[in-house]
Amino acid sequence: MPRRRVIASKSGKTHDITDAPHCGSGGAGSVYDVGGGLVVKVLKHADANQLRALLHLHDQLEPHGVVMPVDLAVDAATREVVGYFMPFASGETLDEGLPDDLTKEQRLLVALAVAKALRAVHAVESPKLVYWDFKDANTKVDCTFNPPKVRLIDVDSACVFGIRDKTSGALVDVIGRFTTGGYKPFEYLKEPATPPGHPADLFALGVVLHQVLYGHTPYDRVGAATGDLEEAVRELRFQKYIPNGRPPTYAFDYGTDVDELFRKAFLGKPTERPTAAQWVTKFENLLGVDPPVVHPVEAKRVIRRPPNLTRLWRFTRRAAAVLAVVSIGAVAWHNRHLFASLPPPPAPPRTASETTPADPQPQTFSEWLFDAKRKNNR
């Protein structure tokens, strides 16, 4: 059996993944553990432009709970980009279910982390990102942390708009995969050719948050618990989402505001679906997260003057400074011209041995200065 080797693009290190631990497989590809806290995802259809764009966004999205590529994986035989390296994300995916003993607060914390991660994705402006295949299987939750640690994975399914092609230099769009039923909004069921956009992510976000808060999708209790999930979404549209008639499986009540957000997410117009930022605000309010407190400055340190008085005070200070500079300059000019017109000072007095009775007495400095001023005023 031939060995399968991939090369890390930046470091140049070769990894033999033939016998590497297999972390999982999906419709997009397979993931292998290469050690050092890293895994490599080998894609069935890798787009080098898309992966390079995501690689540049690592520092922007990784701190917000999105598992981003840290390096490109190049096939050692063909020298083509076949995937990417990323940090290993601990925990279980949401489709495997959250522990039943999670408290209401813990579920709100998980939901808050999910909404924050998608908010960060939608905040990227260049290039624009649409997660596109946002679902429970792409949401990992590690409940060994307190609060639970949440990570979004499989970002290679994202749509990336306005990236520079490395070969031609032209701006191109890369449309990711959207294959999971139950997370597609109604407009894509009616018109599959509808261009990808943030409203698609927001519908899927509502489904994922419903699973986090209540333990099941919003249409598991409307007669479509089995079968095609896309058909269940159609049923949801006709039967309407009525949270007030919750069955006993709704363990917690999060209030009518949350019910209304879910109603808009599932039944509202695409442009009216709650954004990830709106979900974040609601969950922070429920958790009692206060906004940053700005401490007022002590009154004695603040001197408030009327606007006119303030302007007069500034003018007075500037005028005083200018007058002081002019006065100093005038005095210096006067002294310089005065002493320049004076005769030289008298010679120092001679000693007794040098002085004869016939010699006149030496003039003092005060006498000399008086005579000089008198002559200058004539």
Side-chain angles (χ1 to χ4, degrees), residues 104 214 246 252-260 286:
K104 178 180 178 179
Y214 299 125
R246 300 188 191 93
F252 302 106
D253 184 359
Y254 300 95
T256 57
D257 290 345
V258 173
D259 292 340
E260 184 60 25
L286 292 175

Side-chain angles (χ1 to χ4, degrees), residues 183-253:
Y183 297 86
K184 291 182 181 180
F186 307 123
E187 59 268 24
Y188 292 93
L189 297 176
K190 289 184 175 181
E191 298 291 340
T194 303
H198 288 169
D201 286 348
L202 299 178
F203 179 89
L205 174 64
V207 179
V208 171
L209 292 178
H210 199 283
Q211 292 178 262
V212 171
L213 297 179
Y214 299 125
H216 57 78
T217 62
Y219 30 80
D220 282 348
R221 297 292 180 264
V222 292
T226 60
D228 185 11
L229 288 177
E230 294 185 12
E231 186 64 29
V233 176
R234 293 191 182 95
E235 291 295 324
L236 174 64
R237 178 165 186 134
F238 291 109
Q239 298 188 30
K240 299 187 180 299
Y241 175 72
I242 306 177
N244 294 332
R246 300 188 191 93
T249 52
Y250 285 73
F252 302 106
D253 184 359

Side-chain angles (χ1 to χ4, degrees), residues 165-177:
D165 182 76
K166 189 176 182 180
T167 304
S168 64
L171 290 177
V172 297
D173 299 334
V174 178
I175 306 301
R177 302 170 308 279

Side-chain angles (χ1 to χ4, degrees), residues 23-223:
C23 299
S25 298
S30 300
V31 181
Y32 303 91
D33 188 353
V34 294
L38 292 178
V39 296
V40 59
K41 185 171 185 178
V42 180
L43 302 171
K44 296 178 181 179
H45 305 285
D47 189 298
N49 289 324
Q50 178 211 36
L51 295 180
R52 288 191 185 97
L54 295 174
L55 182 62
H56 289 306
L57 295 174
H58 174 274
D59 293 343
Q60 190 171 347
L61 292 179
E62 184 75 27
H64 296 282
V66 184
V67 179
M68 299 295 293
V70 297
D71 204 349
L72 301 182
V74 179
D75 189 279
T78 63
R79 299 293 171 171
E80 295 181 352
V81 176
V82 295
Y84 61 97
F85 293 87
M86 60 182 171
F88 172 75
S90 61
E92 305 293 336
T93 53
L94 191 58
D95 59 335
E96 298 174 0
L98 292 174
D100 294 334
D101 59 350
L102 282 186
T103 64
K104 178 180 178 179
E105 181 182 7
Q106 288 174 318
R107 289 184 179 273
L108 283 171
L109 288 171
V110 174
L112 175 62
V114 172
K116 281 185 174 181
L118 189 63
R119 180 184 64 177
V121 172
H122 287 182
V124 177
E125 296 181 352
S126 180
K128 179 183 176 182
L129 294 183
V130 177
Y131 213 95
W132 199 228
D133 198 20
F134 188 64
K135 57 184 179 180
D136 55 358
N138 289 344
T139 307
K140 268 201 165 184
V141 182
D142 190 346
C143 293
T144 61
F145 289 84
N146 188 20
K149 187 176 182 179
V150 178
R151 310 278 280 173
L152 302 187
I153 61 174
D154 289 354
V155 72
D156 55 273
S157 64
C159 301
V160 188
F161 298 92
I163 58 177
R164 187 73 63 181
D165 182 76
K166 189 176 182 180
T167 304
S168 64
L171 290 177
V172 297
D173 299 334
V174 178
I175 306 301
R177 302 170 308 279
F178 197 173
T179 58
T180 305
Y183 297 86
K184 291 182 181 180
F186 307 123
E187 59 268 24
Y188 292 93
L189 297 176
K190 289 184 175 181
E191 298 291 340
T194 303
H198 288 169
D201 286 348
L202 299 178
F203 179 89
L205 174 64
V207 179
V208 171
L209 292 178
H210 199 283
Q211 292 178 262
V212 171
L213 297 179
Y214 299 125
H216 57 78
T217 62
Y219 30 80
D220 282 348
R221 297 292 180 264
V222 292

Side-chain angles (χ1 to χ4, degrees), residues 217-332:
T217 62
Y219 30 80
D220 282 348
R221 297 292 180 264
V222 292
T226 60
D228 185 11
L229 288 177
E230 294 185 12
E231 186 64 29
V233 176
R234 293 191 182 95
E235 291 295 324
L236 174 64
R237 178 165 186 134
F238 291 109
Q239 298 188 30
K240 299 187 180 299
Y241 175 72
I242 306 177
N244 294 332
R246 300 188 191 93
T249 52
Y250 285 73
F252 302 106
D253 184 359
Y254 300 95
T256 57
D257 290 345
V258 173
D259 292 340
E260 184 60 25
L261 288 177
F262 277 126
R263 188 191 303 276
K264 290 182 178 179
F266 303 138
L267 301 177
K269 298 178 181 179
T271 56
E272 296 176 353
R273 288 174 185 149
T275 64
Q278 288 177 292
W279 283 109
V280 168
T281 301
K282 173 50 61 179
F283 293 145
E284 287 180 341
N285 291 339
L286 292 175
L287 288 167
V289 178
D290 296 327
V293 178
V294 179
H295 297 285
V297 181
E298 295 182 9
K300 64 181 181 180
R301 298 184 181 181
V302 179
I303 302 177
R304 300 187 181 277
R305 301 184 182 93
N308 293 336
L309 184 59
T310 300
R311 286 193 292 267
L312 179 61
W313 173 246
R314 291 176 181 173
F315 173 77
T316 304
R317 286 188 302 175
R318 292 172 183 172
V322 172
L323 182 61
V325 171
V326 172
S327 300
I328 293 174
V331 171

